[in-house]
Amino acid sequence: MRICIASDFFYPNMGGVEEHIFNLSQCLLSRGHKVVIMTHSYGDRKGIRYMTNGLKVYYIPIKVFYNQVILPTMICNIPLLRYILVREQIEIVHGHSAFSTLAHEAMNVGQLLGLRSVFTDHSLFGFADLSAVVTNKFLEISLANCNHCICVSHTGKENTVLRAKVHQDKVSVIPNAVDTAHFTPNPCHRPSDPDRINVVVVSRLVYRKGVDLLAGILPKLKHCPNIHFIVGGDGPKRALLEEIREKNNMQDRVTMLGALEHSQVRDVLTQGHIFLNTSLTEAYCMAIVEAASCGLQVVSTRVGGIPEVLPDSLIILTEPTVESVYRGLMVAIRREAEKKQIGCMYMNGSMDGSVGACREWRGGGPVCPFERNNMVANLYNWDNVTGRTEKVYRKVLQEKESTLGPMMVNCLRSGVWPFLLVISLCHLILRFLDWFVPRKYIDRCPLDNPFWEGTVASRSRQSLNDVRVHVHPIPGSSSSAATTTGKSTSSFNRHSKRHKLSGATTS
């Protein structure tokens, strides 16, 4: 399959959506699919860039309008989007994030070109305030012609079905995943002081992440000298935390790390015993999954899709109030203190007897960090997520191509009649471009990925049979062996030349 993933949020910007897109793309590439990323330019990062395993990224030179999102024009970027989709011979356009304008525009152009479209929603929205009402209406219009939607939690699915008026049969739940081989526990990184307990907070310091709750909890723990906080992340609410830290003389116990690269998150998590999440709304919180994979006790607010992410043995859920979060945090602190008292060997970095000791706690106490990692690995892994996403792709490819008439009828159901003029104008622009720049004059990129060692796996069955014949000579015949070896070498050289010529043409 040939897939184009479109979103305003991608590297070098860091976040949950960016990490999800990158990991999903790598897994799809490893399964032999062609994947292309489409995003807007970041600074001097423009044009075509290649990332790990030959992942091709189009950094389109479009100005950012607000909060890393381009200006929603619907028509100005049509020529460039059409050129990329035709050039890469795309079959499926996969948009990510309801906030991404580029994702919605790419899906709209793809639908008018007869391609299939899939949309993944990573966020939850309200229904009461004016901004939510406007956003929900635009999302309803955009998803009117979408072939299928993916949500990261069942709560997110209910939210998307209600606010975008999408039929529930066209929405699937596929959660995020975590690389448990990278996010592994390392008790040796924890402080050597046996009485010290580190509480880790890693998130963007914004209102939606409940930083005000964290600011209310810090003064309550100023009389507990053994409790230390490590806060990773940056945002407009950082000044509030620094003010609270100064006011309560907790400079030596509250460490502000600032913005973190994703590669640094694991090293920060392994320094802690407890992970605290105070989000006010979340469709699916990747941070708590990564923390649990690193062996930390997780304390989190019971909001959005968080209750369905981790089992009760790995998380302590609280209400989004200062008192409730404080009580949940104290429960985790008491468990950690009791665990230190019984002298669990794994807290000192030794695995001797750790599993047997932790089984006694399974009824209501902490679980061994390494057992937590195994539990998360069984719950969430990228192979499972990729396989379920492939099923969605195969399902939408079996559907009929969308035409202008049904698309306009679907848009009418949203009640926004003027949007029909936008769809009609986009259609006319595409027809004009088909006349002005016919598709036959657009160079096609090769379907195989020359950077990937497993390119042979994506070729046809006949090619595989040819390779198999060339590799296995007739036993006992040296001349035939030399002949078949020569054929294999010449066949490889022809493929190599084809890739080199294609690469020179397309780059």
Side-chain angles (χ1 to χ4, degrees):
M1 288 181 284
R2 302 183 292 277
I3 305 135
C4 174
I5 298 180
S7 180
D8 281 305
F9 310 107
F10 193 64
Y11 181 85
N13 195 43
M14 300 303 297
V17 177
E18 294 85 349
E19 189 70 17
H20 179 96
I21 292 175
F22 179 79
N23 288 324
L24 178 62
S25 302
Q26 292 297 322
C27 291
L28 289 172
L29 285 173
S30 67
R31 291 172 177 246
H33 304 294
K34 177 178 180 177
V35 183
V36 174
I37 306 293
M38 188 189 301
T39 186
H40 64 75
S41 59
Y42 284 87
D44 60 348
R45 185 176 288 268
K46 301 176 182 178
I48 300 175
R49 300 292 182 96
Y50 287 89
M51 300 184 71
T52 306
N53 294 326
L55 176 61
K56 192 174 186 179
V57 185
Y58 281 88
Y59 288 96
I60 306 176
I62 307 176
K63 293 293 184 180
V64 174
F65 172 60
Y66 173 73
N67 199 19
Q68 294 298 337
V69 176
I70 65 173
L71 181 67
T73 61
M74 296 301 296
I75 60 174
C76 295
N77 303 317
I78 289 179
L80 193 53
L81 298 180
R82 169 186 176 269
Y83 185 84
I84 294 174
L85 296 177
V86 174
R87 173 186 173 90
E88 297 292 342
Q89 307 179 60
I90 297 299
E91 296 175 316
I92 300 171
V93 180
H94 190 168
H96 283 262
S97 181
F99 295 104
S100 174
T101 305
L102 181 61
H104 296 301
E105 291 189 3
M107 290 167 55
N108 180 56
V109 174
Q111 292 157 2
L112 290 171
L113 290 175
L115 309 179
R116 312 309 191 273
S117 61
V118 178
F119 176 74
T120 297
D121 198 354
H122 296 264
S123 304
L124 297 178
F125 286 84
F127 299 90
D129 56 295
L130 180 61
S131 61
V133 172
V134 174
T135 304
N136 294 343
K137 179 56 68 174
F138 275 110
L139 186 65
E140 179 185 353
I141 296 171
S142 178
L143 299 186
N145 296 296
C146 184
N147 295 95
H148 205 85
C149 296
I150 298 174
C151 295
V152 294
S153 65
H154 292 279
T155 303
K157 175 180 178 179
E158 295 176 1
N159 186 263
T160 301
V161 169
L162 290 175
R163 63 191 175 92
K165 295 182 174 59
V166 182
H167 196 278
Q168 60 180 0
D169 293 339
K170 296 178 64 176
V171 183
S172 300
V173 177
I174 303 178
N176 287 329
V178 63
D179 185 5
T180 54
H182 173 68
F183 287 93
T184 54
N186 189 353
C188 295
H189 285 179
R190 293 177 178 176
S192 57
D193 185 357
D195 296 328
R196 176 171 171 173
I197 296 177
N198 283 348
V199 180
V200 179
V201 179
V202 178
S203 73
R204 294 193 302 274
L205 302 183
V206 295
Y207 172 78
R208 189 172 66 88
K209 295 297 183 179
V211 179
D212 297 278
L213 296 179
L214 178 60
I217 293 171
L218 291 178
K220 292 178 175 292
L221 295 171
K222 65 179 181 180
H223 299 300
C224 303
N226 63 320
I227 308 300
H228 292 248
F229 284 83
I230 302 175
V231 182
D234 203 353
K237 289 286 185 178
R238 177 173 180 173
L240 174 62
L241 294 181
E242 292 177 342
E243 179 183 352
I244 296 297
R245 181 179 64 172
E246 298 290 334
K247 187 179 296 185
N248 294 276
N249 296 321
M250 300 177 68
Q251 294 89 338
D252 59 332
R253 293 170 48 205
V254 179
T255 304
M256 306 290 293
L257 300 178
L260 298 174
E261 295 288 342
H262 192 263
S263 58
Q264 300 173 314
V265 173
R266 187 255 177 183
D267 295 332
V268 175
L269 291 175
T270 53
Q271 298 177 31
H273 304 87
I274 301 169
F275 183 83
L276 178 61
N277 174 60
T278 57
S279 295
L280 301 179
T281 174
E282 286 283 0
Y284 179 99
C285 187
M286 277 292 296
I288 64 174
V289 181
E290 293 172 349
S293 179
C294 288
L296 278 71
Q297 292 190 70
V298 178
V299 180
S300 175
T301 49
R302 186 186 286 107
V303 295
I306 289 180
E308 59 187 85
V309 175
L310 293 175
D312 295 338
S313 59
L314 298 182
I315 189 171
I316 299 174
L317 294 173
T318 68
E319 298 302 321
T321 62
V322 174
E323 290 297 330
S324 181
V325 174
Y326 173 73
R327 288 195 299 267
L329 183 59
M330 292 306 298
V331 170
I333 292 174
R334 282 196 298 269
R335 289 182 180 179
E336 194 65 35
E338 293 172 359
K339 186 168 62 175
K340 289 175 178 290
Q341 289 178 2
I342 65 174
C344 287
M345 297 298 295
Y346 64 85
M347 292 302 298
N348 295 324
S350 174
M351 289 292 292
D352 299 337
S354 62
V355 176
C358 290
R359 284 174 180 167
E360 300 177 1
W361 287 79
R362 188 167 300 180
V367 183
C368 168
F370 297 95
E371 191 172 352
R372 289 174 182 268
N373 181 269
N374 292 331
M375 294 173 67
V376 174
N378 293 330
L379 289 172
Y380 304 108
N381 60 82
W382 280 109
D383 287 336
N384 179 268
V385 171
T386 307
R388 294 162 71 174
T389 306
E390 281 182 321
K391 292 181 180 179
V392 173
Y393 290 160
R394 295 191 185 99
K395 180 180 178 180
V396 300
L397 284 176
Q398 295 174 358
E399 300 180 7
K400 296 181 180 179
E401 293 184 4
S402 58
T403 57
L404 181 62
M407 289 181 63
M408 298 183 71
V409 171
N410 292 334
C411 291
L412 274 175
R413 296 172 184 170
S414 64
V416 185
W417 289 32
F419 193 76
L420 296 180
L421 299 176
V422 178
I423 296 294
S424 303
L425 182 58
C426 294
H427 176 75
L428 292 176
I429 293 174
L430 286 172
R431 297 290 76 79
F432 171 77
L433 291 172
D434 285 339
W435 170 80
F436 189 71
V437 185
R439 301 188 187 186
K440 63 180 180 180
Y441 294 131
I442 299 178
D443 292 336
R444 301 300 198 271
C445 292
L447 299 181
D448 290 341
N449 184 358
F451 294 87
W452 182 47
E453 297 178 355
T455 306
V456 178
S458 64
R459 295 176 183 164
S460 62
R461 184 178 298 274
Q462 182 63 36
S463 298
L464 287 174
N465 291 335
D466 292 341
V467 173
R468 200 173 292 116
V469 169
H470 293 323
V471 171
H472 296 284
I474 300 175
S477 175
S478 58
S479 60
S480 62
T483 304
T484 53
T485 304
K487 290 182 179 179
S488 177
T489 304
S490 62
S491 176
F492 174 77
N493 290 336
R494 286 197 301 271
H495 286 302
S496 301
K497 290 180 180 179
R498 187 187 311 158
H499 286 313
K500 289 180 179 178
L501 292 174
S502 301
T505 304
T506 56
S507 61

